[in-house]
């Protein structure tokens, strides 16, 4: 029975066909759902004819995996980092992820955070709800669990599957569920219905396939489909005669789809007919335009503009909001919510104050959110761009922010594989960069980590572009971009690249000057 000791905790996993395909470093990973453990994939794996090694594991607290965190403090982020730690511990080189319900949220979160590790992502029966409905859904789920001591399997048999009562698969699932701590099930369900999967899906750079059952009732797919239909790398399939227990209801069909998806060549095909080549892209743009117009009408005349690059400024309805931003973590909270448009109080506390006792962090957050809500309320009205719905927190309205625009530019440039287009995208990005990325504010580990990652992504793109210009003998463009990047991030690789270009161009005096600067920086 294989276990891996990770961070002082036993993680139970099973690795199938470890040497099945020596020509690839890929591993196919299955992440299970809320009310089961890794055995829920038994029937699917029996029908899966896959040439890759297959890994499945028990989430923390499920099956035979240990949990060392109080259940009420668990977040989606814990499960995502668990997956990262397991992949690292097993020294996997690249992965295909298949996630079901809670496992789908974990898979999407991992793929967004670690894009270079993931080849494809398949998301099954993924929870996704409009922000204004989340609290009522959470209340309904809590009422189902009230005065209960075990998972409400009779209810799940009635609402979550097309399989007849007493089916052998359901009997097995009921046995698996008996080994799951009820409090953990309740927490996992609450995390699932509260999650915002749309943000990570948009951040994923690899192909994404979403599978939803045609008879899905517990996690309706309409809102998810609306927000992903225009994403080029994302596709949605409706599985007939299936609901939430999609893995058990259609194992042969799901297995065939998985095999086709992970082995498919996902490179964009060369299309000679220019009309057909442009048709799909034009239609995606049109659908995106319709969605944006709908959102604009929904929040007509309610516009929030936030500038954080270089200096901080908030404009509400065209008028500057200048008072109150330098206290009660207002700037940091706003930045976090701009990057995570829909989240929970627990996620905020975990990200911004991970070392603070949770009760104290929650008490502080109540005060901070109340203050921020007042700052984001339109004058002489009751409308606020910040919505606090129980434990759920999200931004609403027509919101524009230079930070999110920059991140979108970075993601687009990172994904682009055609060198000439990538070069153009990086040129546009560098041109818009300020001397200082984010003005100094109350520093926390979360902000410092985010800021560091932002700098690293920009440096990676600038280095690529400078070296591309160097090959083209366009030294002036390469030097200009390197100098601009060095203004906000005196990075050793940037210095060295600049020195190399000056030397190659025969400007040894400039090369010596910048080498001295690099040495001074290195000794700081």
């Amino acid at each position: 029975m294989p276990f891996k000791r990770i961070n002082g905790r036993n993680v139970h996993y099973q690795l199938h066909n470890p040497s099945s395909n020596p020509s690839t470093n890929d591993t196919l990973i299955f992440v299970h759902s809320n009310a089961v453990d890794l055995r829920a994939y038994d029937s699917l794996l029996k029908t899966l004819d896959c040439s890759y090694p297959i890994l499945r594991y028990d989430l923390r607290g499920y099956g035979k995996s240990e949990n060392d965190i109080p259940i009420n403090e668990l977040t989606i982020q814990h499960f995502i980092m668990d997956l990262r730690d397991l992949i690292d511990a097993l020294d996997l080189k690249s992965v295909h992820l298949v996630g079901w319900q809670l496992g789908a949220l974990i898979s999407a979160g991992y793929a967004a955070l670690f894009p270079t590790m993931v080849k494809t992502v398949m998301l099954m029966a993924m929870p996704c709800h409009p922000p204004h409905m989340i609290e009522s859904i959470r209340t309904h789920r809590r009422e189902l669990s009230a005065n209960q001591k075990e998972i409400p399997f009779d209810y799940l048999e009635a609402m979550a599957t097309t399989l007849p009562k007493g089916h052998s698969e359901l009997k097995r699932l009921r046995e698996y569920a008996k080994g799951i701590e009820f409090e953990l099930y309740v927490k996992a369900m609450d995390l699932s219905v509260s999650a915002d999967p749309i943000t990570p899906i948009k951040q994923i750079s690899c192909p994404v396939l979403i599978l939803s059952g045609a008879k899905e009732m517990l996690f309706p797919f309409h809102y998810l489909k609306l927000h992903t239909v225009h994403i080029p790398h994302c596709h949605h399939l409706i599985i007939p005669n299936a609901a939430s227990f999609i893995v058990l209801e259609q194992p042969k069909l799901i297995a065939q789809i998985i095999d086709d998806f992970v082995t498919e060549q996902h490179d964009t095909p060369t299309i000679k007919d220019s009309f057909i080549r442009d048709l799909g892209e034009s239609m995606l743009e049109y659908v995106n335009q319709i969605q944006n117009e709908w959102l604009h009408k929904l929040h007509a005349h309610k516009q929030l503009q936030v500038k954080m690059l270089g200096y901080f400024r908030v404009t509400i309805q065209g008028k500057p909001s200048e008072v109150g931003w330098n206290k009660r973590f207002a700037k940091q909270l706003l930045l976090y919510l701009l990057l995570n448009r829909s989240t929970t109080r627990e996620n905020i506390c975990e990200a911004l104050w991970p070392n603070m006792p949770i009760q104290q962090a929650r008490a502080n957050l109540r005060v901070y959110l109340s203050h921020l809500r007042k700052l984001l309320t339109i004058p002489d009205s009751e409308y606020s761009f910040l919505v606090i719905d129980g434990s759920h927190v999200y931004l609403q309205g027509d919101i524009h922010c230079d930070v999110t625009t920059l991140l979108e530019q970075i993601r687009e440039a990172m994904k682009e594989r055609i060198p000439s287009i990538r070069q153009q995208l990086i040129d546009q990005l560098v041109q818009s960069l300020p001397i200082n990325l984010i003005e100094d504010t109350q520093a926390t580990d979360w902000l410092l980590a985010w800021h560091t990652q932002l700098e690293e992504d920009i440096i990676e793109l600038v280095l690529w572009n400078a070296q591309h210009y160097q090959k083209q003998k366009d030294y002036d463009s390469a030097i200009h971009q390197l100098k601009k990047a060095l203004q906000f991030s005196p990075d050793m690789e940037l210095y060295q690249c600049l020195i190399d270009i000056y030397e190659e161009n025969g400007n040894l005096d400039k090369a010596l000057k910048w080498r001295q600067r690099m040495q001074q920086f290195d000794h700081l």
Side-chain angles (χ1 to χ4, degrees):
M1 187 178 296
F3 287 91
K4 200 73 176 177
R5 191 76 175 169
I6 302 176
N7 299 326
R9 182 178 66 88
N10 280 329
V11 179
H12 176 230
Y13 71 95
Q14 292 180 1
L15 187 60
H16 308 264
N17 309 324
S19 304
S20 58
N21 191 349
S23 64
T24 180
N25 289 322
D26 296 354
T27 301
L28 181 58
I29 301 180
F30 287 84
V31 192
H32 66 75
S33 67
N34 315 41
V36 296
D37 56 36
L38 62 77
R39 293 173 293 176
Y41 286 114
D42 282 350
S43 296
L44 177 62
L45 294 186
K46 288 176 183 177
T47 62
L48 181 62
D49 183 17
C50 181
S51 60
Y52 294 118
I54 295 172
L55 171 69
R56 53 177 173 163
Y57 70 103
D58 285 328
L59 299 176
R60 65 164 59 234
Y62 285 83
K64 297 180 176 67
S65 287
E66 297 175 347
N67 174 42
D68 57 357
I69 295 175
I71 289 175
N72 66 338
E73 295 181 16
L74 284 174
T75 66
I76 294 289
Q77 197 69 14
H78 285 120
F79 292 105
I80 294 171
M81 292 302 104
D82 289 343
L83 176 56
R84 179 203 62 182
D85 293 342
L86 180 60
I87 288 173
D88 290 349
L90 295 176
D91 195 27
L92 304 183
K93 305 304 181 185
S94 57
V95 300
H96 300 267
L97 298 177
V98 179
W100 175 23
Q101 293 180 2
L102 175 62
L105 298 170
I106 296 167
S107 299
Y110 178 88
L113 287 174
F114 307 101
T116 59
M117 286 293 299
V118 185
K119 295 287 190 69
T120 64
V121 183
M122 182 177 290
L123 310 170
M124 301 183 291
M126 175 172 246
C128 181
H129 305 104
H132 71 279
M133 297 176 65
I134 287 176
E135 194 57 31
S136 62
I137 296 170
R138 295 179 72 229
T139 300
H140 174 260
R141 296 294 198 273
R142 284 196 295 265
E143 289 173 351
L144 286 176
S145 302
N147 302 318
Q148 299 287 326
K149 294 183 179 180
E150 59 184 25
I151 296 174
F153 216 88
D154 289 338
Y155 179 84
L156 295 178
E157 280 193 351
M159 303 297 293
T161 182
T162 60
L163 297 175
K165 188 172 183 178
H167 191 282
S168 58
E169 289 287 357
L170 297 179
K171 288 181 179 179
R172 278 195 289 270
L173 242 62
R174 189 182 286 266
E175 287 301 312
Y176 305 158
K178 289 179 181 179
I180 300 169
E181 192 173 348
F182 180 64
E183 185 184 355
L184 177 61
Y185 164 78
V186 173
K187 180 63 177 180
M189 181 61 74
D190 192 56
L191 291 175
S192 298
V193 300
S194 304
D196 165 32
I198 294 170
T199 298
I201 288 175
K202 288 181 177 179
Q203 295 171 351
I204 294 172
S205 56
C206 68
V208 177
L209 183 60
I210 301 172
L211 303 185
S212 299
K215 299 184 179 182
E216 176 67 77
M217 289 187 286
L218 290 186
F219 301 118
F221 54 80
H222 312 91
Y223 187 71
L224 177 62
K225 191 173 183 179
L226 171 68
H227 281 273
T228 56
V229 67
H230 63 280
I231 301 176
H233 65 271
C234 186
H235 298 280
H236 200 146
L237 287 182
I238 306 301
I239 304 301
N241 196 31
S244 297
F245 287 176
I246 187 170
V247 172
L248 310 176
E249 295 158 322
Q250 295 282 14
K252 292 182 179 179
L253 177 57
I254 301 296
Q256 184 61 55
I257 291 171
I258 291 172
D259 187 49
D260 291 344
F261 185 58
V262 300
T263 57
E264 178 185 352
Q265 294 297 320
H266 292 283
D267 297 333
T268 303
T270 301
I271 302 174
K272 295 182 179 180
D273 188 327
S274 59
F275 176 81
I276 296 299
R277 184 173 62 245
D278 297 337
L279 180 62
E281 184 175 341
S282 298
M283 195 169 294
L284 282 174
E285 289 178 357
Y286 179 63
V287 170
N288 195 24
Q289 179 185 346
I290 292 173
Q291 186 188 51
N292 288 335
E293 289 176 356
W294 170 74
L295 290 172
H296 179 72
K297 289 178 181 179
L298 185 65
H299 301 289
H301 312 301
K302 299 178 177 68
Q303 188 175 85
L304 171 68
Q305 292 183 314
V306 182
K307 177 172 174 52
M308 286 191 166
L309 297 176
Y311 62 91
F312 181 83
R313 183 180 65 201
V314 172
T315 304
I316 298 176
Q317 303 291 81
K319 297 180 180 180
S321 172
E322 299 174 340
V323 179
W325 290 102
N326 289 322
K327 58 183 181 180
R328 294 179 179 171
F329 280 87
K331 292 180 182 178
Q332 276 222 42
L333 267 177
L334 180 58
L335 176 59
Y336 183 85
L337 290 168
L338 287 165
L339 300 177
N340 304 271
R341 289 286 292 271
S342 179
T343 187
T344 65
R345 292 175 187 263
E346 289 184 0
N347 287 344
I348 296 172
C349 291
E350 175 70 22
L352 270 59
W353 310 289
N355 300 318
M356 184 182 295
I358 188 64
Q359 295 303 324
Q360 182 183 344
R362 287 173 178 167
N364 291 348
L365 183 60
R366 276 196 299 273
V367 177
Y368 299 156
L369 286 175
S370 177
H371 176 68
L372 182 60
R373 190 178 189 281
K374 291 176 183 177
L375 294 178
L376 294 178
T377 297
I378 295 177
D380 303 318
S381 81
E382 295 183 356
Y383 184 91
S384 178
F385 293 95
L386 176 62
V387 178
I388 306 168
D389 189 1
S391 69
H392 202 71
V393 182
Y394 60 95
L395 294 175
Q396 64 176 353
D398 185 11
I399 300 173
H400 301 270
C401 177
D402 55 358
V403 169
T404 55
T405 300
L406 174 64
L407 293 176
E408 189 59 40
Q409 287 179 298
I410 291 172
R411 281 194 290 270
E412 189 177 359
M414 288 283 195
K415 288 191 295 184
E416 184 55 57
R417 292 294 175 261
I418 301 175
S420 59
I421 298 177
R422 193 180 204 212
Q423 187 174 34
Q424 184 179 5
L425 291 172
I426 299 174
D427 286 346
Q428 295 170 356
L429 186 153
V430 173
Q431 186 176 0
S432 65
L433 287 176
I435 295 177
N436 298 310
L437 285 181
I438 303 289
E439 72 170 23
D440 291 337
T441 183
Q442 296 150 304
T444 64
D445 291 343
W446 170 81
L447 180 61
L448 292 173
W450 176 82
H451 193 278
T452 299
Q453 185 60 56
L454 178 63
E455 287 189 351
E456 289 176 355
D457 289 344
I458 294 173
I459 290 169
E460 179 183 340
L461 291 173
V462 170
L463 284 171
W464 183 93
N465 222 29
Q467 290 162 0
H468 199 68
Y469 276 123
Q470 184 179 6
K471 293 176 183 176
Q472 298 170 333
K473 305 300 182 182
D474 186 351
Y475 299 119
D476 289 341
S477 295
I479 289 169
H480 169 73
Q481 294 199 1
L482 289 166
K483 285 183 176 180
K484 187 160 188 181
L486 280 165
Q487 286 180 319
F488 67 81
S489 181
D491 178 81
M492 297 296 287
E493 285 189 84
L494 294 174
Y495 274 118
Q496 190 59 57
C497 186
L498 182 60
I499 293 166
D500 292 344
I501 290 173
Y502 272 129
E503 290 178 342
E504 182 177 313
N505 195 25
N507 198 332
L508 300 182
D509 290 341
K510 288 286 183 69
L512 178 60
K513 172 186 171 183
W514 282 96
R515 187 175 297 281
Q516 290 170 345
R517 288 191 184 183
M518 181 177 71
Q519 290 169 348
Q520 289 172 356
F521 168 71
D522 194 29
H523 290 142
L524 290 178

